Every structure is written in C-alpha cells, then in structure tokens.
Amino acid sequence: MVVIGAGLVGASIGCALTAAGYPVHLRDAKISHARVAASLGAGTVDPPVTADVDLVVAAVPPVALPDVIAHALHSYPQATVTDVGSVKAAVLDTLWRRELDLGRYVGSHPMAGSQYSGPMTARADLFVDRSWVITPHRRSRPESVARVSELVRTCHAREIVMDVEDHDAAVARVSHLPHLMSVLMAGHLNQVPENHLLLAGQGLRDVTRIAGSDPGLWVQIVAANSAAVLPELRSIQARLAEVIMAIESRSAADTLREQLQRGVEGTRRIPGKHGTAPVAYSQVVIEIPDTPGALGRLFADVGKAGINVEDISIEHDQARQVGYLSLAVTPEQEPELITTMTDRGWTVV
C-alpha cells in the first residue's frame, strides 16, 4: 500500500492498515509529516517496489487530487488508486480529460475526521463503524472496486456505494452546509461582547465546534462542490427570511412555531448508533470536580452499576472549579443511574 498525504485521514488509514498487517509506504509533500506519521505506526517512509504496490490512497487537499491521482496511475501500473476527498464529481471530470487508464481509479470518501489536522491527531480506530462511501464510475473495473472495498473493511468502516453525483449532493446537505452554518455562527461571535460570552454554554460550543477546521481546506471543498452547495444555501436563506418575518410580525407565532417544530422533526431523522433508528435518550447530568482522577472514579462507579452510557458531553462551570458531565442513557436506565450515583456521593444536577 502507498498512502500519499500523511495528515489526519491519511495517517489514520496508514495506522489502520499497518495494524492489520499490511506494509504501508507513506508519501507527503512535507517529509516531516510522513516521518511523524511513521513514528506513530502509520507505515514507513522507505520507497516501495513499484511493481509490488496493489493500492494507492490519495489523501491530499481537493485542489491537488487530480494531479496526484494521475501521477499515481502512471507510477504504479499494477495498483488500484483511490482518494478520500470529500468531493468526487469535479475530480472525476478533470480526470476524464486526461489520457489515463481510469479503470484502476475508484473514488471513495470516509465520513470521519475532526476539526483537527496533521499526523499527530491520527488514530487507527478513526473509521470504526463510520460510513465510508465508494463511488465507482462507468469504467471502474470490478477488481478495483473490490480492492477499495477491502480497504474499507480493513479500516472497520461501513461501506456505502453511491453514484458520484449523488454523493456530492448528499455531502452538500449533511456535511458542507452544516459546516458553513457553524462558521457563520462562530464568525458572528466576533461581534459579541466578551462579558456576554461568559454566559456561553455547551449548546454554543456544539454549534460552533466544527468551525475551527482549516479555512484553506474548506475553501477548496466548497468551491469544488459549489453546484450542490448553492441550492442548499438558498433553501436555508429562504427559511431564515421566514423566521425573520415571523419574529418581526407578532401575529406570526404559528409560522415561528412551525419552523421550530421542523427543527425537532429534522433531528429525529438523523440515524442513531451504527446507522439504526434514532433513540430518544435521557440525559443525566452529574457535577464533577476539576481534580485529577475525578473522571476516572466517576466512570468506574458507572461501570460498577452496569449502566451502558450511549454518549457523553462535558460543560465547564464559568466560575467554579467543577464541570457538568452529561450521560446519555436509555429512559429505562435513568432512575437506576441517578440512584446509584447519588448513593456513591455524586451530585446529580
């Protein structure tokens, strides 16, 4: 295997493949990135034997993908080449205009990552149970599609096969548009007085978390997928205009309520764990001191109670040296968790 691009996603793929026993050779425009990734167990910076390479993964910024894919197809004549870019149609359209054997190219896109970047953030389990889209085109060879499918399974991700155009429309709706909404909200905070920001809670952090991603990368992503992103932005623009009009008109409470209810219904459509139907969990909030070992003790007590925690979040008190740990559990387990934690001396808020 050859992984070109040793950032978060590329290095994480290298770690997952290496852990599975595959020899991985790392390439990056910055050799220091490849060396750091290698030191974390993502592979080696030694050059491979060209004829022995079976798979090349291009994990570089969108603007560089066509050239890197074309170079890989020329350099490794026996290898299947895939990429992990978040936009597929623009890349494929560029490749069609070149004299290439595109039968060995199969696009893909792991729906995993974070607001962080660089090899130091890589982990072998980044893709576990996450969706990984494979986007074969009309000339993709079955054996090449099978090889990319093997990559997905090796990384323990959930394979989804989609048409290129369908993929781009989907990520515009569930990834690119949410990112832009987060960016707009976070950018608005630059106009908020600092003493007002002292009131910020977990809700604001949840809404703005992904806005911390690399602006340079997202300029490329949005530009490459503008045809799919623009209709979504215009739809949101229309909804926002309706909300503004509803608030301006005191007699339009029904319109505002309708928009709020649409939001509730939309959250219920988001798939739950492992792609199953969403579940309405109960939130049990426990006060936790900001001291070494406190979090470990709390989880040990939860474990002794035999409670299965579905999700967690932590909000820090602005004035006191405490935090508030929210544990998501099934409604049936909520009373037992509250009783158990209270009996063990924890303060349930």
Side-chain angles (χ1 to χ4, degrees):
M1 312 288 183
V2 172
V3 176
I4 305 174
L8 167 63
V9 175
S12 294
I13 290 173
C15 288
L17 292 173
T18 300
Y22 290 97
V24 178
H25 299 265
L26 302 168
R27 292 287 178 271
D28 195 283
K30 295 182 178 179
I31 186 61
S32 59
H33 283 192
R35 287 172 177 158
V36 169
S39 72
L40 297 173
T44 176
V45 295
D46 295 338
V49 177
T50 300
D52 292 344
V53 176
D54 295 311
L55 178 68
V56 178
V57 180
V60 299
V63 70
L65 278 173
D67 288 341
V68 170
I69 292 168
H71 185 265
L73 288 168
H74 283 302
S75 301
Y76 305 101
Q78 307 302 320
T80 291
V81 177
T82 189
D83 71 284
V84 294
S86 59
V87 180
K88 316 314 299 183
V91 173
L92 186 59
D93 288 346
T94 301
L95 293 173
W96 282 134
R97 296 191 289 269
R98 305 186 184 187
E99 295 182 3
L100 298 167
D101 175 14
L102 291 183
R104 294 188 289 116
Y105 167 67
V106 181
S108 74
H109 179 204
M111 301 298 294
S114 76
Q115 69 272 35
Y116 305 110
S117 61
M120 289 298 295
T121 58
R123 352 186 287 264
D125 64 350
L126 182 66
F127 312 102
V128 174
D129 292 330
R130 304 296 295 270
S131 297
W132 190 318
V133 186
I134 300 177
T135 57
H137 54 83
R138 64 180 182 272
R139 293 184 186 173
S140 295
R141 295 173 188 162
E143 58 269 28
S144 293
V145 177
R147 189 159 287 166
V148 177
S149 180
E150 182 181 357
L151 166 67
V152 174
R153 291 194 303 272
T154 302
C155 292
H156 302 289
R158 294 186 297 111
E159 177 184 314
I160 299 175
V161 178
M162 298 182 76
D163 172 78
V164 169
E165 302 287 349
D166 196 25
H167 164 273
D168 285 3
V171 294
R173 291 168 176 143
V174 304
S175 176
H176 303 166
L177 181 65
H179 186 86
L180 291 174
M181 294 300 99
S182 179
V183 165
L184 290 173
M185 184 62 239
H188 179 70
L189 297 180
N190 291 308
Q191 305 172 33
V192 176
E194 289 189 11
N195 63 325
H196 291 187
L197 292 174
L198 292 175
L199 304 182
Q202 191 60 41
L204 181 62
R205 294 183 177 88
D206 289 343
V207 170
T208 58
R209 178 182 59 83
I210 57 176
S213 300
D214 178 12
L217 174 63
W218 274 93
V219 165
Q220 296 180 37
I221 291 172
V222 174
N225 204 25
S226 60
V229 171
L230 280 171
E232 303 305 318
L233 283 172
R234 292 189 178 108
S235 177
I236 291 293
Q237 184 180 38
R239 296 292 182 189
L240 179 59
E242 291 177 8
V243 170
I244 293 172
M245 291 178 61
I247 295 174
E248 287 177 338
S249 174
R250 295 185 178 182
S251 62
D254 289 344
T255 301
L256 180 58
R257 185 179 296 107
E258 178 185 345
Q259 294 292 344
L260 295 171
Q261 185 59 38
R262 282 175 57 86
V264 173
E265 293 169 357
T267 61
R268 292 172 178 169
R269 297 194 65 203
I270 301 173
K273 289 174 60 177
H274 314 303
T276 60
V279 177
Y281 295 115
S282 297
Q283 301 291 329
V284 177
V285 180
I286 302 169
E287 183 178 298
I288 179 171
D290 188 6
T291 56
L295 193 60
R297 292 196 305 274
L298 188 150
F299 280 119
D301 287 342
V302 173
K304 290 175 184 176
I307 302 293
N308 184 43
V309 177
E310 303 292 341
D311 202 357
I312 65 170
S313 64
I314 299 178
E315 183 173 349
H316 300 280
D317 193 284
Q318 296 287 355
R320 303 166 57 216
Q321 293 296 308
V322 299
Y324 302 99
L325 183 69
S326 179
L327 304 178
V329 297
T330 61
E332 296 77 17
Q333 290 187 309
E334 180 184 6
E336 181 181 356
L337 177 59
I338 293 174
T339 299
T340 298
M341 301 311 288
T342 301
D343 290 345
R344 293 180 182 274
W346 297 96
T347 299
V348 178
V349 181

